[in-house]
Amino acid sequence: MEQKDLFKELGQIRSLMEKSSKFVSISGLSGVLIGFYALLGTLLGYYISTSHETSMNRLRDNFTLLNIFLILAIVILVLSLLTGWLMARRKAKKSRQSIWNITSKSLLFAVSIPLVTGGVLALILLSQGYYHLIAGMLLVFYGLALTAGSIYTFPEVRWLGILEICLGVLALCLPDHGLMLWGLGFGVLHIIYGFIVYKKYES
């Protein structure tokens, strides 16, 4: 009986240590929603760029089309960040944890370096007219950010990051399919990841 109690206590201690060293407030459902936003953005971008309607033909001018894609990307980014933050705060509140602690700060620092680097390189490619490489490069740096931050959260994040990197490299090799692969990486993979995390840690 004492041995069982000891194992139970050790398990509780281990659980507390994991909670203190891992940022577990990431919501699986937020991953699903973020993936849904990305898919909607991809479909809208594809429609705008391929439509033959008269009203859409005016948007096919490179500069105008580029502006539309930039606005679309910014809207999706803001929605994704807001959704992730709100749902993480809600989950942290539910488990009586603080969303802003040493672990979350370490996580933010780990992911910010690849993300900022990728953002700067995207702007450089944008200014030099290499539009077809941006989607693949963003996938690669996003994947690097996920793998860098995965030590502070769920192990599934690392696998998501690796898959994003693979898709990014593929998009760089097949630049004409960049938008489709971008939607697959930021959309479909996020939805699958979100369902797995929700089922494994939240349901």
Side-chain angles (χ1 to χ4, degrees):
M1 197 70 177
E2 289 181 4
Q3 193 175 13
K4 283 185 180 179
D5 291 339
L6 180 62
F7 282 131
K8 188 177 179 182
E9 285 180 18
L10 286 172
Q12 289 174 344
I13 292 168
R14 183 183 174 186
S15 177
L16 286 170
M17 287 177 70
E18 284 181 350
K19 283 182 179 179
S20 64
S21 63
K22 300 278 185 182
F23 185 71
V24 293
S25 295
I26 296 175
S27 169
L29 289 179
S30 70
V32 175
L33 286 173
I34 289 168
F36 183 67
Y37 300 154
L39 274 182
L40 278 180
T42 303
L43 291 172
L44 186 57
Y46 183 78
Y47 172 75
I48 291 170
S49 63
T50 59
S51 176
H52 296 292
E53 293 178 17
T54 306
S55 58
M56 286 294 134
N57 285 336
R58 290 195 291 266
L59 299 177
R60 293 174 65 86
D61 174 78
N62 284 335
F63 182 75
T64 308
L65 192 60
L66 180 61
N67 283 342
I68 291 170
F69 281 150
L70 281 174
I71 292 168
L72 196 58
I74 290 168
V75 169
I76 292 170
L77 177 63
V78 171
L79 272 175
S80 299
L81 290 174
L82 191 61
T83 300
W85 178 72
L86 286 174
M87 296 195 77
R89 190 179 70 166
R90 182 185 170 198
K91 188 178 176 184
K93 210 174 196 179
K94 212 172 179 181
S95 57
R96 296 179 181 178
Q97 291 181 333
S98 173
I99 195 173
W100 191 243
N101 50 41
I102 294 173
T103 308
S104 60
K105 289 175 185 176
S106 299
L107 172 63
L108 183 62
F109 180 75
V111 301
S112 63
I113 296 174
L115 287 179
V116 171
T117 305
V120 171
L121 286 175
L123 290 174
I124 293 171
L125 290 176
L126 197 62
S127 66
Q128 296 184 356
Y130 295 106
Y131 311 127
H132 57 292
L133 298 177
I134 293 175
M137 199 208 59
L138 286 177
L139 281 168
V140 169
F141 278 90
Y142 179 61
L144 289 172
L146 291 177
T147 53
S150 63
I151 59 172
Y152 300 107
T153 186
F154 306 120
E156 287 78 10
V157 174
R158 180 184 293 108
W159 290 109
L160 176 61
I162 291 169
L163 290 173
E164 298 284 4
I165 292 169
C166 292
L167 277 179
V169 172
L170 186 60
L172 290 171
C173 295
L174 304 169
D176 290 339
H177 300 284
L179 184 61
M180 182 190 71
L181 292 168
W182 191 92
L184 185 60
F186 288 108
V188 177
L189 285 185
H190 259 285
I191 292 172
I192 295 171
Y193 154 81
F195 273 121
I196 291 172
V197 168
Y198 177 76
K199 201 76 179 166
K200 191 171 180 180
Y201 302 103
E202 298 173 47
S203 61

